[in-house]
Amino acid sequence: MLKVMATQVEIEALYPHKPLKGQTAIVTGANSGIGEGVARHVAAAGANVAVNYVVGPEAANAVCEDINANGGTAIAVQADVSSEAAVQTMFADVISKFGTVDICIPNAGLQRDAAFSQMSLEQWEFVLKVNLTGQFLCAREAVKEFLRRGPRPEVSSSLGKIVHMSSVHETIPWGGHVNYASSKGGILQLMKSLAQEVAPHQIRVNSIGPGAIKTPINRSAWETPEAEQKLLTLIPYNRVGVVDDIGKVAVFLASDQSDYITGQTIFVDGGMTLYPGFATGG
Ligand code: NAD
């Protein structure tokens, strides 16, 4: 099993003031990788967390058990984020359990890579459906719930917060991964257009753009020292990221610490978006 993140005890110690206390968050694809890390940080910051998974209840349950054993509150919720009915049922279940949803972190995503001329319509549509439509469906249910429930000034200045999990590939082109890069480029305009539309309701919408983070999705790119060395040529900060790097920023964007930030992508990438190939004059 992949373990490149802090323990729940270490994560809890980061948030003594519990900035998300009294709030409820849904994190999709939270039985693995970045989503798991984000769920752990958001729970440690005091929120009730719905740990969404599509397959693999054991992993989701293990994350919840660890959070619950360390003073947090987490439940596992199954839903395929590309299914409208499943996403609506997930929100209804979480609202019936915790009363409302304050924070939505659509994170679930996948790759189906192919050279462009070989890319099947199925590979194209599958990636767009999970990565982009899935984020649309979750964000829409979240906005509906924020508007239905109304303000809760005792827990947050915002009516609600959405934190999309995008990628450096919302701006960096990625040959061989055109479907994936297109889905992340789509998230950029989903996030910005939605942020513009709902800002008057005090709903904040932002994205995190991870660079290379050690998770199962990109294991082959960092698993051996040779692969990691090659990857580091793209990362000026000279280390591969870990899920805790993302979890910390997710807590910031979900909390009132970022109350005046909306419509932005925060790249968490060790400088990958700084065109490192130009560092020595290009
Ligand atoms: P991961 O494979 O560990 O996690 C992806 C999660 O999404 C898994 O839990 C998977 O079960 C879930 N998922 C897939 N299809 C789903 C569906 N239909 N419904 C619900 N859940 C579904 O990979 P990760 O690296 O943790 O990726 C998480 C997010 O971060 C993705 O959106 C990915 O594009 C993004 N990201 C990752 C990196 C990186 O370097 N790891 C970089 C940039 C962006």
Side-chain angles (χ1 to χ4, degrees):
M1 190 183 150
L2 182 78
K3 262 295 161 215
V4 281
M5 76 173 79
T7 65
Q8 194 62 30
V9 173
E10 291 164 337
I11 299 171
E12 293 281 336
L14 296 174
Y15 307 104
H17 302 302
K18 305 286 174 208
L20 305 181
K21 193 170 178 345
Q23 301 186 57
T24 294
I26 293 181
V27 185
T28 67
N31 57 328
S32 171
I34 288 175
E36 175 182 344
V38 166
R40 287 175 176 278
H41 278 255
V42 167
N48 306 315
V49 179
V51 172
N52 160 259
Y53 67 98
V54 61
V55 288
E58 311 77 22
N61 288 333
V63 174
C64 293
E65 278 164 26
D66 201 19
I67 289 172
N68 292 330
N70 285 284
T73 305
I75 57 166
V77 276
Q78 196 281 336
D80 175 349
V81 296
S82 68
S83 156
E84 182 177 41
V87 170
Q88 288 174 334
T89 301
M90 170 171 71
F91 271 77
D93 289 350
V94 174
I95 292 163
S96 104
K97 168 85 181 159
F98 293 121
T100 190
V101 172
D102 304 276
I103 299 158
C104 174
I105 307 183
N107 160 82
L110 43 72
Q111 294 178 212
R112 290 292 181 274
D113 308 328
F116 190 68
S117 61
Q118 307 299 314
M119 187 174 285
S120 66
L121 179 60
E122 193 197 357
Q123 286 171 317
W124 170 266
E125 288 185 337
F126 187 54
V127 169
L128 268 289
K129 214 172 163 199
V130 174
N131 293 14
L132 184 56
T133 304
Q135 297 221 3
F136 155 71
L137 290 171
C138 292
R140 189 186 61 178
E141 292 314 303
V143 168
K144 280 198 237 171
E145 172 56 15
F146 301 159
L147 295 173
R148 180 200 70 78
R149 180 246 299 143
R152 294 212 302 148
E154 68 280 13
V155 294
S156 179
S157 318
S158 305
L159 195 68
K161 284 86 50 158
I162 298 171
V163 182
H164 293 281
M165 200 57 65
S166 184
S167 166
V168 290
H169 295 297
E170 73 171 38
T171 62
I172 300 179
W174 204 17
H177 310 259
V178 171
N179 48 359
Y180 181 85
S182 299
S183 74
K184 297 300 183 179
I187 290 171
L188 173 65
Q189 278 304 334
L190 164 64
M191 179 276 287
K192 283 191 178 280
S193 302
L194 175 58
Q196 186 193 60
E197 184 174 325
V198 298
H201 297 285
Q202 273 69 54
I203 297 171
R204 297 191 299 107
V205 187
N206 293 288
S207 289
I208 297 174
I213 309 297
K214 290 186 178 182
T215 75
I217 209 174
N218 57 3
R219 186 188 284 272
S220 61
W222 53 264
E223 201 167 34
T224 64
E226 300 72 38
E228 182 158 353
Q229 210 45 50
K230 189 160 166 251
L231 184 57
L232 286 175
T233 63
L234 299 173
I235 308 172
Y237 201 59
N238 211 31
R239 78 164 166 86
V240 181
V242 292
V243 298
D244 297 298
D245 294 318
I246 308 298
K248 291 172 192 168
V249 178
V251 169
F252 171 67
L253 286 176
S255 79
D256 283 358
Q257 292 293 314
S258 59
D259 190 44
Y260 209 46
I261 300 178
T262 193
Q264 304 302 315
T265 299
I266 298 187
F267 290 107
V268 185
D269 67 351
M272 191 178 253
T273 39
L274 297 176
Y275 299 94
F278 282 81
T280 51

